[in-house]
Amino acid sequence: MTARPLGRRFFQRPALELAVALLGTWLCRRRGDAVARGRIVEVEAYTDDAASHARSGRRTPRNAVMFGPAGYAYVYFTYGMHYCANVVAERDGVPGAVLLRGLDGIAGAHGPARLCRALDIDRHLDGVDLTNGDQLWLERGRRRRGERIIQTTRIGIRADTELPWRFYLAGSPGVSRRDRAAEGEYPPL
DNA sequence: CACACGATGCGCT
DNA sequence: GCGCATCGTGTGG
């Protein structure tokens, strides 16, 4: 099965919707002649909300890719030592992205910074096109029968700006954290 | 298990 | 200068 990269259309939707759609798809990274594939099991959506890099509503050098067209990688550097990778959503001009937080099938790829380290994702990949199968792309994946999606709050966000925009596949080993706070099944029963 | 905290660079106010 | 979409380690219960 020669899976092709997911195309532009897949990404052209609201960040919240894309976040859910990304669960179960394969994140693919070219490593020399080989390709590493990890199953996305944990994500967070960001738009122009208070916790987003685009909270100011304005384009800055760092967040510019978030405002651009969907289907590109937004990779940023944080805490002086870590990278985090996002998939850009929404229409051109509208900020929105989905933070990749956890993979199954790639050793140590749980948590956004460790995910990047495991797949050699750094600043060089900021702004790269995810639809051409060059360095980094996504392939369609199946969500298993009966596999539950849990919706909960994002990690590392101040309590006063909390939103339930984190999603993960219940029971996946690649999920970075479970919350003690209320978490619910998505869609709500 | 629950915090607390340091490492370390840099975007933004 | 402040604080961060983090993580590993260290302490205490």
Side-chain angles (χ1 to χ4, degrees), chain A residues 46-177:
Chain A
Y46 290 84
T47 58
D48 61 353
D49 60 282
S52 169
H53 289 167
R55 59 183 165 276
S56 69
R58 299 193 325 270
R59 216 180 269 250
T60 70
R62 180 173 64 163
N63 70 21
V65 177
M66 275 187 85
F67 284 78
Y72 287 79
Y74 170 43
V75 180
Y76 67 88
F77 184 66
T78 192
Y79 291 100
M81 65 191 90
H82 298 301
Y83 292 95
C84 294
N86 298 250
V87 174
V88 175
E90 310 277 354
R91 308 192 321 271
D92 192 8
V94 177
V98 178
L99 174 68
L100 304 179
R101 289 196 56 96
L103 303 178
D104 278 355
I106 303 279
H110 40 81
R114 303 191 60 187
L115 183 156
C116 284
R117 192 152 56 97
L119 287 181
D120 288 320
I121 294 171
D122 66 18
R123 195 81 206 210
H124 293 121
L125 296 186
D126 186 36
V128 303
D129 191 344
L130 296 173
T131 67
N132 58 20
D134 181 21
Q135 310 179 76
L136 189 66
W137 67 94
L138 289 105
E139 291 173 6
R140 202 180 67 187
R142 302 179 178 178
R143 206 168 295 153
R144 293 165 190 141
R145 227 155 69 85
E147 198 167 38
R148 303 292 181 194
I149 297 175
I150 303 298
Q151 177 173 19
T152 178
T153 53
R154 297 173 295 183
I155 303 290
I157 302 300
R158 290 205 322 273
D160 59 329
T161 61
E162 266 188 2
L163 290 169
W165 286 3
R166 174 172 173 245
F167 301 90
Y168 64 85
L169 295 178
S172 293
V175 172
S176 63
R177 289 165 65 169

